[in-house]
Structures are given as structure tokens and as C-alpha cells.
Amino acid sequence: MRRGVVAGAGAVSLLWGSQAEPSARLDALFAGAAHLSGLLAGYGILVMLLLMARVPAVEHGVGADRLARWHSLGGRYVLGLVGAHGVLALCGYAAYTGTDVLRATAQLLGYGGIVAAAFGTLALGAAGVSSVRVARARISQETWRAVHFLTYLGAALAFAHQLVGPDVSGSPLTVWAWAMLHATVAVLIVWYRGVVPVRQALRHGLRVVEVRDESPDVVSVVMRGTGLDALRAEPGQFLRWRFVQRRLWHTSLPFSLSAPVRDDTVRITVKALGVHSRRMRRLRPGTRVLATGPFGAMTAHRRTRRKVLLLAGGVGITPMRVLFEALPAAPGDLTLLYRASNAAQLVLRDELEAIAVARGAALHYLLGPSDAAFDPLAPQALRDLVPDLAEHDVYLCGPGPMAAAATASLVKAGVPQQHIHSEQFSF
């Protein structure tokens, strides 16, 4: 995926280079740089949209959490390219006309196409600013999503602006190729973010049948539908859930399955970490549910070794619990380590212990506050629990700080990085 993105950027640069006319004039230098940054920005916008189009083949191969991080990082580069394109184009026009920047700005805004491009830039900028960590913490999830929809407006205006630019409009083949790229991404977005969820909702008819407390701040939501085997949800994967109830219907929430699909029944287990997850405690039986997916790459397909260690922290036990039951393993080859602050924070405990007995698997609870003197995730502590640790594949899920600390300890304990499989759901 990453190589494909880089190759695409190289192709765009070659397109620019094939049309560039060498010149030492100041206005030509500004114009050439503006054209290159504009083409790369347009291509970057397409890549950002594709990363979040929820294409199953892409998400299963890369991992939804990694795609989200790529989207966040790539968005900064795209906004930088968009800004550079505007500044360079303005400077080039000012140098060409012999006017100052203010007059050049006023003259350029007299063209309708430039005005549309300016609005597109503002739309992309608003989406980017709303995603900055400080701003994201101050606005609601609904507001952030609404502002983020401006990305589509910005992409459409950028596409219209590029079609009349010399780098794209100079060749019918280039116009066709550029239009096809945009059309392909648009179709993928409409299909996987619009058509597929509606089709799945009509096909499966999911409804809440039970909401039960697992601990003071954790609940399990049990849902039933029809033909749920067709979802083909693998252990370790998650779906995006939309509960058609007041104050929840407008938000799609990513939660992993906490039990295998059985008898057209699915279950998720959720900790009250935010406004929406707290509201799930008040879900009523009969509430309609729209589910999209499955997504995620932390499945048995990543496994490369006979022995497997599952390492969970907090509510990260939910995908681990399904893997603990369903991952093929002989007695003695499967170990689950469950990190929690205290025994009261352990969820699904009875199920885990029953699975451990039935499968001949090892189960250890790592209890204690994160600031305690003894660290149960220290390299030596892990080796004491799992003597042949370096021979294991490790599946890891938990809060960000815990996952980072556990990964560092596993590497120090001799587990190669490529044998540590993790996925974070805080995106």
C-alpha cells in the first residue's frame, strides 16, 4: 500500500516534469513550483479519501488503526502542499504582472475559478484545524464529523480547479485519467460508506436483545439478527455500530466482537470512556442496529508461529477473549495475560477461566496500579510467566500507553517486532 502511494506520487511528478518548460525567470520558477505542489496536493487528497473509504481489502490488509494514522499524518502534508500551491501561485502571478502581493490577490479573486479554489482551500483547512489535538478535545464528536465532511467539498472544488489548469487540461488523455481516478475513489466512498451499510442493515435486521453489566463501568450489548454468518467476522475483528436511538443514531462506533457469532447472535463489550459509550448503558431491547464491517487485520492470518501469547489491557480483552476461544492451538501452546488495575476491573472473567480449562491454555491476571513499584509488563516479568516467550507470536490490545510499554518490553524480552500484532481502536 505504501509503495503504491509513493509510486503514484512519482507518476504525478513525472506528469509535471514532462510538461514543464525550463526557465530562469522568477515568475516561471514560482509557477512551476505552484503547478507541482498543486498536482501533488490533488493526488494527496485522493489518497486521504481512499484511506478512509472503508474498503475491506485495504483495511484487512493494512489495519484500520494504521490507516487512520496514515490519514492523520498524510493530511498534514496535503494541507502543506495546498498552502504552498496557493502562496507560490500568488507570488508567481505577482512577479508576472509586476504588482505587489495585495493587488495580485485582488486581481486573482476576480476569477470565478480562483474563488472556488479558495473556498476549497478553506474547507480543507477547516477539516484539518478541527483535527488538531487541542481543537479535537474542545469540540464534540458530532461537530468534528460535520466539519470533516467539508473535505468532500474541498476535494470536489480542487478537482474542478485542476481540470481547467494547464497540467491536466493540456492533454485529453490526462483529463480522462485524472477524472477516472477521482470517479473511482468517489464510487468506492459511496459504495462502502453508503450502499453497503444500508444493504447490510436491510439484510440482517439487527436489534438489541440484552444490555448487561459486566463491571461498574463496562457493559455487554447482545444483538440478534438473521444471516449473521454472512458477515464473515473473524476473531479479532471489529465492526462499526450505529444504534438507531436518540443521541446515538448519528454516530458510528468501532467496537470489536467479544464473543464468536453464534445462532445469529453477536455481542460487544464496551467501557464507558466517552459520551457515546456511556449512553449505551441505556440502550433498550428492540433498538435497531446498523453494523458495517467487519474490519481489522488482527486475525489468525497474521500468525506465523505455533505458540501464541495474547496480551490484553483493560477493555482490550474483548478481541482477545474471542481469539482465546477460537484461535487454533494445541494444549500448552496458548497463553493469555490480562492486565488490570485490580480484580474488580477484570471483565468476562468466568468465560476466560472456562475457556482456559476447556482448551488447556494458560491464563494469568496481571494486577496492580500502573505506577506501582513492580511492573508486571517488565521484560523479566514476562519471561518468568512465559519462559519461551521469544518463540511466540504475540497479539496485543489495550490502551495506548499500556500497548506502547508492552511492545517495548516484548522487544527487550526477545520477541521480534514483526511477531507482535496489535491494533488500537482509539481512532
Side-chain angles (χ1 to χ4, degrees), residues 49 116 119-124 147-160:
L49 293 176
F119 275 113
T121 300
L122 290 175
L124 293 172
V147 174
H148 225 63
F149 270 112
L150 293 174
T151 303
Y152 297 120
L153 173 62
L157 292 173
F159 173 61

Side-chain angles (χ1 to χ4, degrees), residues 302-356:
R302 286 194 173 185
R303 182 179 180 180
T304 60
R305 294 178 165 186
R306 179 173 59 86
K307 295 185 177 182
V308 176
L309 169 64
L310 307 175
L311 179 52
V315 78
I317 190 61
T318 53
M320 297 294 105
R321 181 255 179 258
V322 188
L323 287 166
F324 196 44
E325 177 180 352
L327 199 65
D333 287 345
L334 184 62
T335 301
L336 172 61
L337 305 182
Y338 186 0
R339 178 80 172 94
S341 298
N342 51 65
Q345 297 296 318
L346 298 173
V347 297
L348 309 176
R349 182 171 183 172
D350 292 342
E351 296 181 16
L352 295 173
E353 293 173 355
I355 293 170

